[in-house]
């Protein structure tokens, strides 16, 4: 099962091949492909053929992710990963993940299907959440991402989203999250 940090739900959507090392970039590209490019929806009549073709479930409901606020599968190839977490500033990254989970109405340590998880993020992501979470990121500063591009990427997956969660839950989570970002 894939382990994924909450903020990597934003990073992975717009990944362009830049990173901390060659090993990190190769690992990130594999995970991005698994998360974003692997077919999520396979018509019922084609599911058996899809599974036989590549040995992996083709349906996003079968691919599972444990959402975490600690080093994940992406971090595993990062040269900045130490025994205590991220050498750059683990406490800040953990706080960022926890606040972003609240803002997006997600639960860390919960297992989601790819379809469910990306659907929730796509519905709940706002420009304010993006800017609050990403404004201090070096990749954001380099102009490698924007709210508009991220929202477009999530909209592409719109037809695969599960039922919406309540707007009240999203609003409550977002208010708490903004306070914890300390902006």
């Amino acid at each position: 099962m894939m382990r994924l940090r909450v903020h990597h739900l934003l990073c992975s959507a717009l990944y362009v091949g830049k990173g901390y090392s060659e090993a990190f970039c190769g690992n990130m590209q594999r995970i991005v492909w698994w998360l974003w490019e692997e077919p999520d929806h396979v018509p019922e009549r084609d599911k058996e053929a899809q599974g036989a073709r590549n040995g992996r479930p083709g349906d996003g409901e079968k691919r599972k992710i444990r959402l975490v606020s600690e080093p994940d599968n992406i971090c595993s190839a990062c040269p900045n990963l130490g025994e205590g977490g991220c050498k750059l500033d683990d406490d800040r990254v953990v706080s960022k993940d926890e606040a972003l989970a609240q803002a997006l109405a997600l639960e860390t340590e919960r297992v989601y299907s790819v379809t469910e998880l990306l659907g929730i993020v796509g519905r709940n992501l706002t420009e304010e959440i993006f800017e609050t979470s990403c404004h201090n990121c070096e990749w954001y500063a380099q102009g490698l991402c924007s709210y508009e591009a991220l929202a477009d990427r999530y909209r592409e997956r719109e037809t695969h989203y599960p039922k919406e969660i309540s707007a009240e839950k999203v609003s409550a989570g977002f208010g708490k999250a903004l306070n914890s970002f300390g902006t």
Side-chain angles (χ1 to χ4, degrees), residues 14-19 25 29:
L14 299 176
Y15 181 68
V16 295
K18 305 235 181 217
C25 291
Q29 187 60 50

Side-chain angles (χ1 to χ4, degrees), residues 42-112:
V42 179
E44 198 59 46
R45 69 183 185 284
D46 294 338
K47 283 185 180 179
E48 189 174 323
Q50 175 71 19
R53 209 170 36 248
N54 62 18
R56 289 187 301 262
D59 189 340
E61 290 300 319
K62 293 180 183 173
R63 291 183 292 130
K64 302 292 184 186
I65 294 174
R66 178 176 301 280
L67 198 60
V68 298
S69 60
E70 59 191 22
D72 64 2
N73 288 73
I74 290 173
C75 298
S76 69
C78 184
N80 299 313
L81 181 62
E83 284 187 35
C86 182
K87 293 179 198 173
L88 298 179
D89 188 356
D90 193 54
D91 290 338
R92 184 185 60 83
V93 180
V94 169
S95 296
K96 176 181 184 166
D97 285 327
E98 290 171 353
L100 186 57
Q102 277 189 326
L104 293 172
L106 296 167
E107 298 172 44
T108 56
E109 295 306 321
R110 179 175 162 198
V111 175
Y112 294 88

